[in-house]
């Protein structure tokens, strides 16, 4: 069986660990968001790719959910001693080696998908049927507008990482834009993986800054809509709050309520120009299932807490069994 997962960082990585536990023998291709990417200190940083790599390669710091276990911060302290910004972004000594390797390989002219293949070769060597692909080989950067009376038009655009990490998503996000997305193409291997898939899963990652950008890469949405594989989406909002992270700070900026059913409607049913064949919500949101079904979106309701890869595997298997006319 060939499975494709669309995913972001921390929640997406936990979800993929569950997919692997549910289908240990499947060919598993993860299409990872790269719209969070940023250049700092001259280094290209791909947070979601790295979080996915370290999590699946068992090198992640489990408390933070990003960066390396057993990390030290000596280079960061030295950079701060030189007065070099940004001091608010935690680049650990071990993690820096990944960014140095990536930046060097990109500078040599390799596309990000090939750079990612080389970086992940080390981490995922014991699972040769697991492939991580960036959504695109082109550069996309997400920016968030916040109110600023001193700025032109009363709003200032910040890089997503500055909004998320330095400001901890505290000021209201007035708008989101993704610089460069219209000119991107799916990375090498992305369209092929979608076309060959037996099953496509949308992780319970942030709908605005993780799944949103993947679906906006020209060609990906159409490939999902016109492909043969069923598409199953999982809600990351449980009982009106994100299970992980701060999606509730960004959904209002795209006019979507912080509610699992609203996110399901936002992705939409494949029969009505959306991407989903099945939307999976937590039991806390069971009351909205009938309304969605009446609107033509198939829904499954189950516990969606990712407490361990096995617990995640269980709800994934349950959801896949609920696919209309599922042979999987
Ligand atoms: N998240 C933080 O909250 N603080 C950090 O200092 C930080 C540094 C960092 C460095 C490398 C990396 O790959 C990820 C890092 N993250 C950090 C996580 C990350 O920036 C965000 O949580 C995601 O981009 C949102 O998906």
């Amino acid at each position: 069986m060939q499975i494709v997962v669309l995913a972001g960082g921390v929640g997406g990585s936990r979800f993929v660990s569950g997919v692997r536990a549910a289908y240990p023998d499947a060919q598993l291709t993860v299409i990872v968001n790269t719209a969070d990417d940023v250049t700092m200190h001259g280094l290209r940083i791909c947070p979601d790719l790295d979080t996915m790599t370290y999590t699946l390669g068992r090198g992640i710091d489990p408390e933070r959910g990003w960066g390396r276990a057993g990390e030290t911060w000596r280079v960061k302290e030295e950079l701060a001693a030189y007065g070099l910004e940004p001091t608010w972004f935690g680049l650990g000594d071990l993690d820096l080696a990944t960014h140095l390797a990536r930046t060097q390989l990109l500078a040599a002219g390799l596309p990000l998908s090939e750079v990612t293949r080389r970086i992940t070769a080390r981490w995922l060597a014991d699972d040769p049927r697991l492939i991580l692909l960036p959504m695109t080989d082109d550069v996309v950067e997400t920016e968030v507008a916040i109110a600023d009376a001193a700025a032109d038009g009363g709003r200032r655009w910040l890089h997503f990482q500055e909004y998320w990490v330095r400001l901890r998503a505290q000021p209201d996000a007035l708008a989101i834009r993704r610089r460069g997305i219209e000119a991107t193409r799916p990375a090498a291997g992305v369209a092929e993986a979608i076309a060959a898939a037996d099953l496509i899963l949308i992780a319970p990652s942030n709908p605005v800054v993780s799944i949103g950008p993947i679906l906006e890469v020209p060609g990906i949405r159409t490939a999902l809509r016109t492909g043969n594989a069923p598409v199953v989406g999982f809600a990351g909002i449980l009982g009106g709050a994100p299970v992980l992270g701060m999606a509730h700070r960004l959904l209002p900026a795209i006019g979507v309520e912080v509610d699992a059913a609203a996110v399901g409607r936002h992705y939409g049913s494949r029969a009505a120009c959306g991407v989903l064949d099945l939307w999976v919500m937590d039991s806390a949101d069971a009351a909205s299932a009938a309304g969605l079904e009446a609107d033509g979106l198939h829904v499954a309701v189950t516990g969606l807490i990712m407490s361990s890869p096995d617990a995640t595997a269980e709800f994934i298997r349950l959801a896949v069994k609920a696919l209309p006319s599922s042979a999987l």
Side-chain angles (χ1 to χ4, degrees), residues 144-158:
V144 178
I146 60 167
D148 181 349
D152 246 9
R155 59 170 58 180
R156 185 157 58 96
W157 288 96
L158 307 172

Side-chain angles (χ1 to χ4, degrees), residues 223-243:
L224 295 176
R225 284 190 40 70
T226 56
N228 292 325
V231 180
V232 183
F234 292 80
I237 304 287
L238 277 62
V243 63

Side-chain angles (χ1 to χ4, degrees), residues 123-200:
W123 290 96
L124 308 179
D126 64 349
D127 191 350
R129 286 190 300 270
L130 171 59
I131 295 175
L132 304 191
L133 293 176
M135 64 184 197
T136 180
D137 282 325
D138 303 309
V139 172
V140 183
E141 299 207 0
T142 301
E143 293 181 336
V144 178
I146 60 167
D148 181 349
D152 246 9
R155 59 170 58 180
R156 185 157 58 96
W157 288 96
L158 307 172
H159 191 284
F160 167 73
Q161 293 296 344
E162 184 171 5
Y163 176 75
W164 203 247
V165 173
R166 184 171 80 80
L167 301 178
R168 308 243 62 101
Q170 277 317 300
D172 286 340
L174 305 178
I176 312 278
R177 69 182 180 196
R178 299 188 232 287
R179 282 189 170 285
I181 193 111
E182 317 77 26
T184 60
R185 280 173 305 155
V190 166
E192 293 81 352
I194 293 173
D198 301 299
L199 173 66
I200 297 176

Side-chain angles (χ1 to χ4, degrees), residues 54-67:
Y54 297 155
T55 303
L56 298 170
R58 292 182 289 277
I60 197 83
D61 180 290
E63 267 90 56
R64 284 196 308 274
W66 54 268

Side-chain angles (χ1 to χ4, degrees), residues 194-302:
I194 293 173
D198 301 299
L199 173 66
I200 297 176
L201 304 174
I202 299 183
S205 299
N206 190 315
V208 187
V209 289
S210 297
I211 302 300
I214 302 176
L215 296 176
E216 266 181 43
V217 171
I220 292 191
R221 175 181 277 273
T222 308
L224 295 176
R225 284 190 40 70
T226 56
N228 292 325
V231 180
V232 183
F234 292 80
I237 304 287
L238 277 62
V243 63
L244 267 172
M246 302 183 280
H248 60 296
R249 300 296 299 140
L250 296 175
L251 281 164
I254 61 160
V256 176
E257 224 184 302
V258 185
D259 171 69
V263 175
R265 283 200 167 86
H266 171 66
Y267 290 150
S269 141
R270 207 141 64 125
C273 296
V275 293
L276 296 173
D277 293 291
L278 180 70
W279 179 236
V280 188
M281 301 193 298
D282 188 74
S283 319
D285 298 298
S288 359
L292 285 179
E293 288 274 359
D295 292 345
L297 181 59
H298 292 300
V299 174
V301 173
T302 179

Side-chain angles (χ1 to χ4, degrees), residues 30-117:
V30 188
I31 300 173
V32 181
N33 170 47
T34 56
D36 290 9
D37 295 6
V38 64
T39 299
M40 290 180 182
H41 305 294
L43 301 176
R44 192 66 182 156
I45 300 160
C46 301
D48 286 1
L49 277 171
D50 290 344
T51 300
M52 190 66 73
T53 304
Y54 297 155
T55 303
L56 298 170
R58 292 182 289 277
I60 197 83
D61 180 290
E63 267 90 56
R64 284 196 308 274
W66 54 268
R68 296 277 304 270
E71 189 58 282
T72 52
W73 306 92
R74 297 191 68 188
V75 175
K76 181 177 187 288
E77 284 157 19
E78 287 295 306
L79 289 168
Y82 284 118
L84 289 178
E85 291 294 339
T87 47
W88 46 265
F89 200 69
L91 292 176
D93 301 334
L94 299 172
D95 192 30
L96 270 166
T98 304
H99 311 313
L100 282 163
R102 175 183 297 115
T103 305
Q104 189 174 326
L105 293 168
L106 287 171
L110 298 179
L112 182 60
S113 49
E114 173 58 18
V115 172
T116 303
R117 192 189 66 74

